[in-house]
Short mmCIF file of all heavy atoms in Angstrom, two decimals:
data_model
loop_
_atom_site.label_atom_id
_atom_site.label_comp_id
_atom_site.label_asym_id
_atom_site.label_seq_id
_atom_site.Cartn_x
_atom_site.Cartn_y
_atom_site.Cartn_z
N ILE A 160 103.38 161.08 38.14
CA ILE A 160 104.68 161.06 38.84
C ILE A 160 105.71 161.85 38.03
O ILE A 160 106.50 162.62 38.57
CB ILE A 160 105.18 159.61 39.08
CG1 ILE A 160 104.23 158.85 40.00
CG2 ILE A 160 106.58 159.63 39.67
CD1 ILE A 160 104.62 157.39 40.25
N ALA A 161 105.66 161.67 36.71
CA ALA A 161 106.60 162.40 35.85
C ALA A 161 106.40 163.91 36.00
O ALA A 161 107.37 164.68 36.03
CB ALA A 161 106.42 161.98 34.39
N LYS A 162 105.14 164.37 36.10
CA LYS A 162 104.89 165.80 36.33
C LYS A 162 105.44 166.21 37.70
O LYS A 162 106.08 167.25 37.83
CB LYS A 162 103.39 166.09 36.26
CG LYS A 162 102.76 166.05 34.88
CD LYS A 162 103.48 166.86 33.81
CE LYS A 162 103.59 168.35 34.12
NZ LYS A 162 104.42 169.06 33.09
N ILE A 163 105.21 165.39 38.71
CA ILE A 163 105.74 165.69 40.06
C ILE A 163 107.27 165.85 40.00
O ILE A 163 107.84 166.70 40.67
CB ILE A 163 105.35 164.57 41.06
CG1 ILE A 163 103.83 164.60 41.32
CG2 ILE A 163 106.13 164.69 42.37
CD1 ILE A 163 103.29 163.38 42.06
N LYS A 164 107.90 165.06 39.13
CA LYS A 164 109.36 165.11 39.01
C LYS A 164 109.85 166.21 38.06
O LYS A 164 111.03 166.27 37.74
CB LYS A 164 109.89 163.74 38.54
CG LYS A 164 109.63 162.61 39.54
CD LYS A 164 110.43 162.80 40.83
CE LYS A 164 110.07 161.73 41.87
NZ LYS A 164 110.75 161.98 43.17
N GLY A 165 108.92 167.02 37.55
CA GLY A 165 109.35 168.16 36.74
C GLY A 165 109.58 167.86 35.28
O GLY A 165 110.30 168.59 34.59
N CYS A 166 108.96 166.81 34.77
CA CYS A 166 109.15 166.44 33.37
C CYS A 166 108.02 166.98 32.50
O CYS A 166 106.95 167.34 33.00
CB CYS A 166 109.19 164.91 33.22
SG CYS A 166 110.49 164.14 34.20
N THR A 167 108.26 167.02 31.20
CA THR A 167 107.21 167.25 30.22
C THR A 167 106.63 165.89 29.86
O THR A 167 107.39 164.96 29.56
CB THR A 167 107.78 167.92 28.95
OG1 THR A 167 108.32 169.18 29.33
CG2 THR A 167 106.71 168.11 27.89
N VAL A 168 105.31 165.76 29.87
CA VAL A 168 104.70 164.43 29.74
C VAL A 168 103.74 164.36 28.56
O VAL A 168 102.84 165.19 28.44
CB VAL A 168 103.94 164.04 31.02
CG1 VAL A 168 103.33 162.65 30.88
CG2 VAL A 168 104.88 164.08 32.22
N ILE A 169 103.96 163.36 27.72
CA ILE A 169 103.08 163.10 26.60
C ILE A 169 102.40 161.76 26.84
O ILE A 169 103.06 160.72 26.99
CB ILE A 169 103.86 163.05 25.26
CG1 ILE A 169 104.40 164.43 24.92
CG2 ILE A 169 102.96 162.56 24.12
CD1 ILE A 169 105.80 164.68 25.41
N GLY A 170 101.07 161.79 26.88
CA GLY A 170 100.30 160.57 27.07
C GLY A 170 99.74 160.08 25.76
O GLY A 170 99.29 160.88 24.93
N ILE A 171 99.79 158.78 25.55
CA ILE A 171 99.26 158.17 24.34
C ILE A 171 98.17 157.18 24.74
O ILE A 171 98.40 156.33 25.60
CB ILE A 171 100.38 157.48 23.54
CG1 ILE A 171 101.40 158.54 23.10
CG2 ILE A 171 99.82 156.72 22.34
CD1 ILE A 171 102.66 157.96 22.50
N ALA A 172 96.99 157.33 24.14
CA ALA A 172 95.89 156.40 24.42
C ALA A 172 94.98 156.38 23.21
O ALA A 172 95.29 157.00 22.18
CB ALA A 172 95.14 156.82 25.68
N GLY A 173 93.86 155.68 23.32
CA GLY A 173 93.07 155.38 22.13
C GLY A 173 91.77 156.14 21.95
O GLY A 173 91.00 155.81 21.05
N SER A 174 91.47 157.13 22.80
CA SER A 174 90.26 157.94 22.56
C SER A 174 90.49 159.36 23.02
O SER A 174 91.22 159.60 23.98
CB SER A 174 89.04 157.34 23.27
OG SER A 174 89.00 157.74 24.62
N ASP A 175 89.86 160.28 22.33
CA ASP A 175 90.04 161.69 22.67
C ASP A 175 89.42 162.02 24.03
O ASP A 175 89.87 162.95 24.71
CB ASP A 175 89.46 162.58 21.57
CG ASP A 175 90.29 162.43 20.27
OD1 ASP A 175 91.42 161.90 20.35
OD2 ASP A 175 89.80 162.83 19.20
N GLU A 176 88.42 161.25 24.42
CA GLU A 176 87.84 161.44 25.75
C GLU A 176 88.91 161.17 26.82
O GLU A 176 89.06 161.91 27.79
CB GLU A 176 86.66 160.46 25.92
CG GLU A 176 85.94 160.61 27.24
CD GLU A 176 85.12 159.36 27.58
OE1 GLU A 176 85.05 158.43 26.72
OE2 GLU A 176 84.58 159.30 28.70
N LYS A 177 89.65 160.09 26.62
CA LYS A 177 90.76 159.80 27.55
C LYS A 177 91.78 160.94 27.54
O LYS A 177 92.30 161.35 28.57
CB LYS A 177 91.45 158.49 27.14
CG LYS A 177 90.61 157.24 27.40
CD LYS A 177 91.32 155.99 26.91
CE LYS A 177 90.52 154.73 27.21
NZ LYS A 177 91.14 153.51 26.64
N GLY A 178 92.07 161.42 26.32
CA GLY A 178 93.06 162.49 26.20
C GLY A 178 92.65 163.74 26.96
O GLY A 178 93.48 164.39 27.60
N LYS A 179 91.38 164.05 26.89
CA LYS A 179 90.86 165.24 27.59
C LYS A 179 91.07 165.09 29.10
O LYS A 179 91.49 166.03 29.79
CB LYS A 179 89.37 165.37 27.26
CG LYS A 179 88.80 166.77 27.48
CD LYS A 179 87.38 166.88 26.95
CE LYS A 179 86.56 167.87 27.80
NZ LYS A 179 87.25 169.14 28.07
N TRP A 180 90.79 163.90 29.60
CA TRP A 180 90.99 163.63 31.02
C TRP A 180 92.46 163.79 31.41
O TRP A 180 92.80 164.43 32.41
CB TRP A 180 90.48 162.21 31.34
CG TRP A 180 90.69 161.77 32.75
CD1 TRP A 180 90.17 162.35 33.88
CD2 TRP A 180 91.47 160.65 33.19
NE1 TRP A 180 90.58 161.66 34.99
CE2 TRP A 180 91.37 160.61 34.60
CE3 TRP A 180 92.22 159.67 32.54
CZ2 TRP A 180 92.02 159.62 35.35
CZ3 TRP A 180 92.85 158.70 33.29
CH2 TRP A 180 92.76 158.68 34.68
N LEU A 181 93.32 163.24 30.57
CA LEU A 181 94.76 163.28 30.88
C LEU A 181 95.28 164.72 30.94
O LEU A 181 96.02 165.08 31.85
CB LEU A 181 95.55 162.49 29.83
CG LEU A 181 95.32 160.99 29.79
CD1 LEU A 181 96.05 160.35 28.60
CD2 LEU A 181 95.78 160.32 31.10
N VAL A 182 94.87 165.52 29.97
CA VAL A 182 95.38 166.89 29.89
C VAL A 182 94.65 167.81 30.86
O VAL A 182 95.29 168.51 31.66
CB VAL A 182 95.28 167.41 28.44
CG1 VAL A 182 95.65 168.89 28.37
CG2 VAL A 182 96.18 166.59 27.51
N ASP A 183 93.32 167.77 30.84
CA ASP A 183 92.55 168.73 31.65
C ASP A 183 92.56 168.39 33.13
O ASP A 183 92.67 169.28 33.97
CB ASP A 183 91.09 168.79 31.16
CG ASP A 183 90.97 169.37 29.76
OD1 ASP A 183 92.00 169.87 29.25
OD2 ASP A 183 89.88 169.30 29.18
N ASP A 184 92.44 167.11 33.44
CA ASP A 184 92.31 166.74 34.86
C ASP A 184 93.64 166.34 35.50
O ASP A 184 93.88 166.63 36.66
CB ASP A 184 91.31 165.59 35.04
CG ASP A 184 89.90 166.00 34.64
OD1 ASP A 184 89.70 167.19 34.34
OD2 ASP A 184 89.01 165.13 34.63
N LEU A 185 94.48 165.66 34.74
CA LEU A 185 95.71 165.14 35.35
C LEU A 185 96.94 165.99 35.06
O LEU A 185 98.00 165.73 35.63
CB LEU A 185 95.98 163.69 34.88
CG LEU A 185 94.86 162.67 35.12
CD1 LEU A 185 95.37 161.26 34.88
CD2 LEU A 185 94.31 162.78 36.54
N GLY A 186 96.83 166.93 34.16
CA GLY A 186 97.96 167.83 33.94
C GLY A 186 99.02 167.34 32.97
O GLY A 186 100.13 167.88 32.92
N PHE A 187 98.69 166.30 32.17
CA PHE A 187 99.63 165.90 31.11
C PHE A 187 99.82 167.10 30.17
O PHE A 187 98.90 167.87 29.94
CB PHE A 187 99.05 164.73 30.30
CG PHE A 187 99.20 163.37 30.95
CD1 PHE A 187 98.81 163.15 32.25
CD2 PHE A 187 99.75 162.30 30.23
CE1 PHE A 187 98.94 161.89 32.84
CE2 PHE A 187 99.89 161.05 30.80
CZ PHE A 187 99.49 160.85 32.11
N ASP A 188 101.03 167.23 29.59
CA ASP A 188 101.28 168.35 28.69
C ASP A 188 100.67 168.13 27.31
O ASP A 188 100.21 169.09 26.68
CB ASP A 188 102.79 168.56 28.57
CG ASP A 188 103.39 168.94 29.91
OD1 ASP A 188 103.21 170.10 30.32
OD2 ASP A 188 103.98 168.06 30.58
N HIS A 189 100.69 166.91 26.84
CA HIS A 189 100.14 166.61 25.52
C HIS A 189 99.48 165.24 25.53
O HIS A 189 99.85 164.36 26.31
CB HIS A 189 101.25 166.57 24.45
CG HIS A 189 102.01 167.84 24.33
ND1 HIS A 189 101.54 168.93 23.64
CD2 HIS A 189 103.22 168.19 24.82
CE1 HIS A 189 102.43 169.90 23.71
NE2 HIS A 189 103.46 169.48 24.42
N PHE A 190 98.55 165.10 24.62
CA PHE A 190 97.93 163.79 24.40
C PHE A 190 97.97 163.50 22.91
O PHE A 190 97.75 164.39 22.08
CB PHE A 190 96.47 163.80 24.88
CG PHE A 190 95.67 162.67 24.31
CD1 PHE A 190 95.85 161.38 24.79
CD2 PHE A 190 94.78 162.87 23.26
CE1 PHE A 190 95.13 160.31 24.24
CE2 PHE A 190 94.06 161.82 22.71
CZ PHE A 190 94.24 160.54 23.21
N ILE A 191 98.25 162.26 22.55
CA ILE A 191 98.16 161.83 21.16
C ILE A 191 97.36 160.54 21.09
O ILE A 191 97.60 159.60 21.87
CB ILE A 191 99.56 161.60 20.54
CG1 ILE A 191 100.46 162.83 20.79
CG2 ILE A 191 99.44 161.36 19.03
CD1 ILE A 191 101.90 162.61 20.36
N ASN A 192 96.41 160.52 20.18
CA ASN A 192 95.60 159.32 19.97
C ASN A 192 96.39 158.39 19.03
O ASN A 192 96.73 158.79 17.91
CB ASN A 192 94.26 159.72 19.34
CG ASN A 192 93.28 158.58 19.33
OD1 ASN A 192 93.67 157.42 19.17
ND2 ASN A 192 92.00 158.90 19.50
N TYR A 193 96.66 157.20 19.50
CA TYR A 193 97.49 156.31 18.67
C TYR A 193 96.77 155.85 17.40
O TYR A 193 97.41 155.31 16.49
CB TYR A 193 98.02 155.11 19.46
CG TYR A 193 96.99 154.09 19.87
CD1 TYR A 193 96.56 153.10 18.99
CD2 TYR A 193 96.44 154.10 21.15
CE1 TYR A 193 95.62 152.17 19.37
CE2 TYR A 193 95.51 153.17 21.54
CZ TYR A 193 95.09 152.21 20.65
OH TYR A 193 94.14 151.29 21.03
#
Side-chain angles (χ1 to χ4, degrees):
Chain A
I160 296 178
K162 288 309 301 175
I163 291 168
K164 296 293 175 185
C166 302
T167 298
V168 181
I169 292 93
I171 297 171
S174 82
D175 293 344
E176 183 199 355
K177 289 177 178 176
K179 200 172 148 48
W180 177 61
L181 294 174
V182 173
D183 294 351
D184 295 355
L185 304 192
F187 280 51
D188 297 284
H189 302 280
F190 162 75
I191 309 173
N192 191 326
Y193 69 83

